[in-house]
């Protein structure tokens, strides 16, 4: 039987013949045996295998195995007498598939810094920490899809190459065909990599009611922070007949749903993060899924922050965009819990957010979480044609370029809302990883795009 180690350890069945395929983590020799720790990536735990020195290839091969070698092992599973492990495998046959020279293999048995591991992004998934991040990331992705599919949302594959710039021209990567002439662009118009699938998602929300996108997003922002990538993944639901409070409820429910999912399905990996990456991570996550998020308005946030004796790099006054230091103060110091901030000044938000009756604020909401700051940004959209056009004009967006978008307000318009959840920031929050480069397989940041 050809089984993965994760399955075998869960089943705990002994006395059966199995075949496992994986990579050696360590070898230890005693009197008449060698103990090998094998990992096959299916789970954090290694399987201990015991190779008798009488095996025919013991001297030439088994005794020379080192970290990183790939092997196929056939043998019998038995209960382990050793402390801390339930099962071990008694080898009948061990085939070395690929050698790894111990002189040059970079992942010898010792703890490597995450910085060093970033310099070998092609080998780092073989470490405990990055393997665990990868499994948790995959499970979170699955949970995101389950959440929406179970609630009758349709997934929309929005374009990666786009000729509409959702927010700021400054942040867009340009796309050109090789040999393209300035006066004859490949797509007729200047094209770029998408910064958000929102506007296109709105098109489909106006037809299917509830939709979501989950895809790569690109921003050429030159910010070398621990929370920004030039290429990241975003989850963007868009819901017809939904207002700001419905929007907030869905976002909070989504976050709780996916975190609850990994708490029950990734317990072993989360325990590793709780031990080595963020102390008390499990308590933090449990607390988040069990308690209501805090709701405050932008007005209240400004009042609270400016009433403090705290010295911020950016002084707080009504009208400023909340900076990361402010967001983190709110969620980490004042509330120590996720905080939803609503009703931001119109002047600092994009044209598509719905203008409130006060004429000064828009129906926006950001969700802030400890350790990260903003994880979700969303709003109720402006569904009134005249208001939308004037907001475009005010913010320097040419309404003629967005005729298709305005048509959604001309024909059967309806209140609608949506948000963007930064998927890597979610993985950071779930794993406690401090740097966003450690939660995506191949990070792209200014000056850096390995593999
Ligand atoms: P920030 O102020 O942190 O740069 P933003 O206001 O530009 O974020 P939005 O445009 O609202 O963010 O995007 C929605 C979500 O996408 C954010 O809440 C965040 O989780 C995520 N996000 C935005 N920019 C990045 C980035 N460069 N790298 C990774 N995630 C990002
Ligand atoms: Mn940004």
């Amino acid at each position: 039987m050809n089984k993965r180690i994760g399955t075998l350890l869960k089943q705990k069945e002994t006395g059966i013949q199995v075949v496992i395929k994986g990579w050696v983590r360590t070898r230890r020799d005693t009197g008449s045996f060698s103990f090998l720790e094998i990992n096959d990536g299916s789970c954090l735990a290694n399987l201990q295998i015991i190779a008798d020195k009488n095996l025919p290839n013991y001297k030439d091969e088994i005794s020379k195995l080192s970290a990183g070698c790939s092997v196929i092992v056939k043998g019998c599973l038995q209960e382990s007498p050793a402390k801390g492990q339930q099962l071990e495998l008694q080898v009948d046959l061990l085939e070395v598939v690929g050698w790894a020279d111990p002189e040059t293999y970079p992942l010898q048995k010792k703890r490597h810094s995450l910085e060093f591991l970033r310099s070998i992004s092609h080998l780092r998934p073989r470490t405990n920490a990055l393997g665990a991040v990868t499994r948790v990331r995959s499970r979170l992705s699955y949970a995101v899809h389950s959440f929406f599919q179970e609630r009758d949302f349709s997934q929309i594959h929005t374009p990666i190459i786009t000729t509409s710039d959702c927010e700021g021209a400054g942040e867009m990567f340009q796309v050109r065909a090789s040999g393209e002439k300035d006066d004859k662009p490949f797509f007729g118009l200047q094209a770029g990599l998408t910064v958000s699938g929102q506007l296109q998602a709105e098109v489909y929300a106006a037809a299917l009611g509830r939709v979501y996108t989950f895809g790569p997003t690109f921003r050429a922002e030159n910010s070398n922070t621990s929370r920004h990538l030039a290429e990241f993944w975003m989850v963007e639901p868009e819901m017809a007949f939904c207002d700001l409070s419905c929007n907030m409820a869905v976002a909070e429910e989504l976050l709780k749903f996916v975190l609850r999912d990994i708490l029950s399905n990734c317990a072993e990996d989360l325990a590793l993060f709780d031990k080595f990456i963020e102390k008390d991570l499990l308590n933090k996550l449990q607390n988040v899924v069990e308690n209501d998020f805090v709701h405050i308005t932008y007005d209240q946030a400004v009042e609270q922050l400016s009433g403090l004796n705290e010295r911020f790099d950016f002084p707080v006054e009504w009208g400023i965009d909340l900076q990361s230091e402010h967001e983190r103060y709110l969620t980490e110091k004042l509330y120590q819990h996720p905080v939803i901030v609503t009703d931001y000044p119109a002047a600092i938000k994009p044209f598509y957010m719905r203008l409130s009756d006060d004429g000064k604020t828009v129906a926006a909401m950001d969700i802030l979480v400890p350790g990260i700051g903003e994880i979700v940004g969303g709003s109720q959209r402006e569904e009134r044609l005249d208001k939308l056009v004037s907001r475009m004009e005010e913010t320097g967006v040419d309404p003629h370029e967005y005729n298709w978008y305005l048509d959604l307000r001309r024909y059967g318009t309806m209140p609608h809302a949506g948000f963007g959840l930064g998927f890597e920031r979610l993985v950071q929050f779930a794993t406690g990883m401090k740097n966003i480069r450690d939660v995506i397989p191949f990070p792209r940041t200014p000056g850096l795009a390995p593999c």
Side-chain angles (χ1 to χ4, degrees):
M1 248 190 327
N2 200 337
K3 282 235 170 111
R4 304 254 287 159
I5 291 173
T7 314
L8 296 174
L9 293 177
K10 241 182 255 152
Q11 287 176 345
K12 297 192 180 122
E13 206 183 333
T14 53
I16 50 168
Q17 258 326 101
V18 294
V19 177
I20 62 157
K21 303 176 182 182
W23 295 267
V24 173
R25 283 289 176 85
T26 61
R27 193 194 84 234
R28 184 165 57 83
D29 305 322
T30 67
S32 46
F33 302 106
S34 282
F35 292 101
L36 293 153
E37 295 279 337
I38 309 293
N39 190 282
D40 70 359
S42 60
C43 63
L44 184 67
N46 303 323
L47 184 65
Q48 170 159 283
I49 71 163
I50 301 168
D52 194 299
K53 290 196 172 164
N54 292 324
L55 285 165
N57 63 340
Y58 184 84
K59 193 163 156 287
D60 288 347
E61 295 193 323
I62 298 178
S63 69
K64 293 178 182 149
L65 285 170
S66 57
C69 295
S70 59
V71 293
I72 299 178
V73 187
K74 200 169 154 189
C76 184
L77 266 189
Q78 52 197 35
E79 216 160 300
S80 170
K83 209 167 66 190
Q85 44 194 20
Q86 312 242 337
L87 295 178
E88 60 188 26
L89 188 79
Q90 184 73 45
V91 178
D92 290 331
L93 214 86
L94 188 153
E95 181 191 336
V96 180
V97 178
W99 292 98
D101 181 358
E103 296 295 313
T104 56
Y105 186 58
L107 290 177
Q108 296 305 323
K109 192 191 161 148
K110 63 166 196 163
R111 265 175 86 193
H112 298 283
S113 71
L114 293 167
E115 289 78 15
F116 167 72
L117 293 177
R118 256 171 249 147
S119 73
I120 46 167
S121 56
H122 59 300
L123 295 172
R124 69 176 184 164
R126 302 182 184 196
T127 62
N128 282 342
L130 270 290
V133 168
T134 308
R135 282 183 296 270
V136 170
R137 181 180 168 112
S138 168
R139 185 73 206 189
L140 281 169
S141 164
Y142 179 67
V144 164
H145 285 293
S146 304
F147 177 87
F148 289 118
Q149 297 293 334
E150 285 170 15
R151 282 161 187 74
D152 213 18
F153 283 69
S154 297
Q155 185 190 4
I156 309 301
H157 294 115
T158 49
I160 289 170
I161 299 176
T162 173
T163 52
S164 68
D165 170 3
C166 190
E167 285 169 43
E171 292 190 355
M172 224 179 192
F173 287 102
Q174 289 189 10
V175 173
R176 310 177 56 135
S178 64
E180 178 177 306
K181 303 261 177 354
D182 279 343
D183 57 342
K184 234 178 148 256
F186 187 89
F187 293 105
L189 295 168
Q190 204 180 75
L193 297 179
T194 184
V195 296
S196 159
Q198 180 201 319
L199 301 189
Q200 290 93 347
E202 283 188 54
V203 170
Y204 274 75
L208 281 83
R210 293 162 160 231
V211 301
Y212 71 106
T213 74
F214 185 177
T217 306
F218 307 85
R219 294 195 187 172
E221 46 196 350
N222 216 337
S223 39
N224 248 312
T225 78
S226 59
R227 295 165 301 106
H228 288 90
L229 292 164
E231 174 176 319
F232 62 101
W233 286 65
M234 191 145 58
V235 179
E236 295 179 277
E238 191 68 36
M239 298 156 285
F241 308 105
C242 174
D243 62 8
L244 188 67
S245 49
C246 149
N247 201 25
M248 291 189 282
V250 172
E252 180 169 343
E253 212 188 319
L254 168 66
L255 289 172
K256 289 178 172 173
F257 179 95
V258 299
L259 295 175
R260 216 178 282 124
D261 183 290
I262 56 162
L263 280 167
S264 30
N265 292 295
C266 303
E268 187 190 29
D269 290 324
L270 293 181
L272 175 89
F273 300 129
D274 187 80
K275 193 163 169 204
F276 295 113
I277 304 290
E278 181 181 324
K279 206 167 119 319
D280 261 351
L281 173 79
L282 289 169
N283 277 334
K284 174 190 86 176
L285 296 178
Q286 203 61 47
N287 190 26
V288 168
V289 301
E290 281 170 8
N291 295 291
D292 290 344
F293 290 6
V294 175
H295 286 239
I296 58 173
T297 61
Y298 172 88
D299 286 8
Q300 289 168 327
V302 166
E303 202 180 296
Q304 290 173 0
L305 290 168
S306 55
L308 297 167
N309 269 333
E310 187 74 17
R311 224 180 255 261
F312 293 114
D313 293 341
F314 295 87
V316 180
E317 57 179 270
W318 202 94
I320 63 150
D321 201 358
L322 295 182
Q323 301 295 317
S324 162
E325 55 174 344
H326 309 131
E327 298 175 339
R328 296 189 56 173
Y329 198 92
L330 287 168
T331 180
E332 289 168 17
K333 298 256 167 58
L334 286 179
Y335 294 103
Q336 300 172 0
H337 199 64
V339 177
I340 312 186
V341 183
T342 59
D343 305 291
Y344 284 80
I348 55 169
K349 290 292 185 186
F351 67 87
Y352 52 74
M353 295 192 178
R354 191 179 196 276
L355 194 64
S356 301
D357 293 343
D358 62 14
K360 279 183 1 199
T361 61
V362 287
M365 64 103 177
D366 280 3
I367 304 186
L368 319 176
V369 295
I372 295 183
E374 183 188 330
I375 192 167
V376 166
S379 66
Q380 183 172 342
R381 319 304 189 192
E382 183 56 81
E383 85 282 14
R384 298 160 298 186
L385 180 64
D386 55 332
K387 298 256 181 345
L388 184 57
V389 172
S390 24
R391 284 280 290 148
M392 284 178 156
E393 284 162 350
E394 275 167 39
T395 53
V397 174
D398 182 0
H400 298 290
E401 283 184 24
Y402 287 88
N403 230 330
W404 59 272
Y405 187 68
L406 296 173
D407 266 357
L408 305 175
R409 278 71 181 169
R410 290 189 184 105
Y411 311 117
T413 192
M414 73 281 145
H416 61 292
F419 60 85
L421 162 66
F423 188 62
E424 283 72 23
R425 293 196 189 169
L426 171 65
V427 183
Q428 280 190 278
F429 186 66
T431 58
M433 288 304 233
K434 296 279 169 296
N435 195 316
I436 197 164
R437 295 163 205 203
D438 298 327
V439 299
I440 187 165
F442 302 101
R444 272 88 180 88
T445 52
L448 185 77
C451 288

